Amino acid sequence: MRMLTLARAVLCSAVVVGSVVGAGGSEPEQAAETFVGLTLRLGAMTGHEEEVDSYFGPETLHPAAQDDPGGVVQLRTDADALLSRMELEEAAHPTPRGTRLLVQIRSFDNLLQIIGPAARSESFEDEAQRLYARSVPSLEAGVAHQVIAALEAAVPGPGPLSHRMAVFYRDFIVPADRRRVVFERALRECRSRTLAHWQLPRAEKIDVEWTDSVPAAWHRYRGGWRSTLQINPQAVALVGSAIDVACHEGYPGHHAQFLLQDQRAQPSGLPVEDRIVLLRSPASVLREGAANFGVELAFPFEERVAFEERVLFPLARLDPRQARRYETVHRLVDQLSAAAAPIIASYRDHRLSLDDAEQQLANRALVTSPSALLEFADHYGAYVLGYTAVRDSVRDYVTARSRITAGDDWSVLSELVSDPYGATDFQHSSAATYPGIKHDRYPRKPSTCWQSSSGK
């Protein structure tokens, strides 16, 4: 790690933050560079490396190899100083870039409050609201009963439904030696369907790496229209997971999202503050929800069934006559995803033991890998809502916006993901209560992975 004395790190950061004031017309750029430097300091701290998902900006903003990144307490002091100065600057001389940057700095400051050693104990709900302006959804009892009844009929037999579901999925595991070819074909199809609606750079490319070093799939945009996608073969063990992962991580998901954002910023390119990708941030959780919504946008139910019958099931050497049954069950289970959120919240707030939480996730939400989901929640907290609650918000926002503008869903989604920190109307729209979902307190990576068999 990058080491030096804490005193030197504090002195250097204080000088940089202080330079924001009185910079003579370059305040947004200098503030942005200071902001990026602060976030990179967090990523250099032991135990917080994953908070910086990726960075493809100037190397000069990285902490020097010999520098000590300090601690979260000092980092928050520096972030507070930057925030105060930016608030004053924006009040006196507002600019579109400054307004967006202010949102990013506030979000970063909130994160530091959550992870700092002196942080007060936050409930899961409070964390979701503070970091992502989200409430914990719950599935209405009547909806849950209807879905469970439909699954009971679709997967009949003796024993608990959760056990029958585990047995059901075994018939749809792709042989290990066929997973790459199945995924690569799904990725090409996701790309083709996305290109029918979005114009992407000709030079764009995803470099796919197959590895056991990641638990599922991990995307990083590298800049210059290139992304790296690391995939654990177990993440595409189920035949339908190939579509889910290819769309979510690639097209129209994360890779395409960054391409659109990068294109929007041309010819000058993305500003430096958008070249740092913080994991636990409003923009990242929006991208997760939009990526999951993108799966169903690219593959409406009947088209998905037809593609699996014609292409993926034969490639996987599975019976294509079972594709419709598989997708029917898959869609029903997905409708139960909101039932998981209150269980996760109770577990994280120490109102449910690990064993009880796993049992409830298996029985009420039919999560086939509850331990993996809870481990993710332990590690990333309320970020888990991005895959379900935010996806549902994105779906409803896109549908409503399409009606208002007489546009199409693809165009609205493009606008949303190409400017994630400028999407204020989306944030305001999240106040709505949507059919089947109720928000108990506040008026106003991922789900399919945990619903999938690991293949073991």
Side-chain angles (χ1 to χ4, degrees):
M1 301 309 301
R2 303 168 176 92
M3 289 294 196
L4 192 61
T5 64
L6 179 59
R8 177 176 172 181
V10 171
L11 177 60
C12 291
S13 63
V15 170
V16 172
V17 172
S19 69
V20 174
V21 176
S26 61
E27 287 84 355
E29 182 65 28
Q30 294 218 14
E33 292 184 0
T34 301
F35 165 70
V36 171
L38 294 176
T39 60
L40 290 174
R41 273 173 53 193
L42 178 63
M45 293 181 189
T46 302
H48 297 296
E49 297 90 345
E50 288 186 346
E51 297 294 350
V52 176
D53 186 54
S54 64
Y55 174 62
F56 46 97
E59 288 298 317
T60 54
L61 297 182
H62 273 293
Q66 73 272 21
D67 284 349
D68 184 343
V72 174
V73 173
Q74 180 59 47
L75 185 58
R76 187 184 169 196
T77 298
D78 296 342
D80 283 344
L82 176 61
L83 178 59
S84 296
R85 288 165 169 80
M86 274 302 297
E87 287 175 337
L88 289 173
E89 178 61 30
E90 277 303 293
H93 306 289
T95 65
R97 183 184 182 186
T99 299
R100 293 173 71 259
L101 179 59
L102 192 54
V103 173
Q104 290 170 277
I105 297 171
R106 282 178 179 149
S107 171
F108 181 61
D109 189 62
N110 283 332
L111 174 62
L112 295 178
Q113 293 179 51
I114 292 289
I115 66 177
R120 62 187 176 87
S121 180
E122 296 269 357
S123 70
F124 186 84
E125 176 87 30
D126 289 340
E127 180 184 330
Q129 189 68 18
R130 180 190 288 263
L131 291 184
Y132 312 117
R134 296 283 149 187
S135 294
V136 178
S138 61
L139 193 65
E140 291 181 356
V143 175
H145 290 323
Q146 291 175 7
V147 175
I148 292 292
L151 282 166
E152 290 279 3
V155 189
L161 179 58
S162 58
H163 175 72
R164 279 180 273 147
M165 290 297 302
V167 174
F168 169 82
Y169 281 128
R170 291 176 190 168
D171 293 335
F172 300 98
I173 294 176
V174 180
D177 63 346
R178 304 298 297 168
R179 291 176 190 174
R180 292 193 185 190
V181 67
V182 169
F183 174 80
E184 288 167 358
R185 181 63 184 89
L187 184 64
R188 291 198 302 273
E189 186 69 17
C190 292
R191 183 175 184 271
S192 175
R193 288 169 179 256
T194 300
L195 286 173
H197 301 275
W198 293 348
Q199 185 175 357
L200 302 179
R202 288 188 176 183
E204 63 85 13
K205 189 176 186 297
I206 299 177
D207 298 311
V208 179
E209 300 175 357
W210 294 87
T211 176
D212 294 331
S213 66
V214 294
W218 201 271
H219 164 274
R220 283 185 176 86
Y221 185 62
R222 302 296 187 185
W225 319 126
R226 301 291 289 266
S227 290
T228 297
L229 174 58
Q230 296 178 300
I231 305 178
N232 187 319
Q234 299 292 356
V236 290
L238 284 179
V239 62
S241 297
I243 291 177
D244 295 332
V245 174
C247 283
H248 181 102
E249 306 291 351
Y251 312 87
H254 295 324
H255 175 63
Q257 290 168 356
F258 281 101
L259 294 177
L260 291 175
Q261 190 175 355
D262 214 343
Q263 279 183 315
R264 183 188 181 107
Q266 296 302 313
S268 57
L270 284 170
V272 67
E273 64 269 25
D274 287 338
R275 295 174 182 266
I276 184 84
V277 182
L278 289 170
L279 183 67
R280 290 198 283 176
S281 66
S284 289
V285 84
L286 167 59
R287 292 187 187 104
E288 298 295 1
N292 263 10
F293 170 68
V295 179
E296 61 190 69
L297 185 62
F299 283 91
F301 181 76
E302 289 298 334
E303 294 183 26
R304 179 166 175 144
V305 171
F307 178 69
E308 289 184 348
E309 287 176 337
R310 189 182 75 255
V311 180
L312 290 193
F313 271 63
L315 272 179
R317 296 174 183 160
L318 299 175
D319 184 358
R321 294 171 297 180
Q322 295 299 313
R324 181 170 295 276
R325 182 173 179 237
Y326 169 81
E327 284 302 331
T328 298
V329 171
H330 181 74
R331 183 168 66 166
L332 287 169
V333 171
D334 189 60
Q335 291 174 22
L336 288 176
S337 59
I343 299 170
I344 296 170
S346 294
Y347 163 73
R348 288 278 293 168
D349 294 343
H350 308 293
R351 290 180 279 116
L352 273 181
S353 68
L354 175 62
D355 289 343
D356 287 341
E358 288 182 353
Q359 185 175 11
Q360 289 190 23
L361 286 171
N363 294 334
R364 297 182 185 178
L366 294 181
V367 175
T368 55
S369 301
S371 60
L373 176 53
L374 292 175
E375 182 180 354
F376 185 94
D378 276 334
H379 204 63
Y380 298 108
Y383 190 84
V384 70
L385 296 178
Y387 301 94
T388 53
V390 179
R391 175 206 58 191
D392 295 340
S393 293
V394 169
R395 180 195 299 120
D396 290 303
Y397 170 81
V398 168
T399 302
R401 186 73 177 164
S402 295
R403 290 198 200 103
I404 294 170
T405 62
D408 65 272
D409 290 355
W410 283 90
S411 296
V412 175
L413 184 62
S414 172
E415 293 172 2
L416 185 62
V417 300
S418 63
D419 189 14
Y421 275 107
T424 54
D425 54 343
F426 168 73
Q427 297 296 342
H428 295 155
S429 76
S430 67
T433 300
Y434 302 116
I437 303 292
K438 66 177 181 180
H439 299 277
D440 294 329
R441 277 188 58 189
Y442 295 92
R444 4 177 252 124
K445 25 189 226 240
S447 71
T448 52
C449 294
W450 301 302
Q451 300 294 358
S452 303
S453 167
S454 66
K456 295 181 180 179

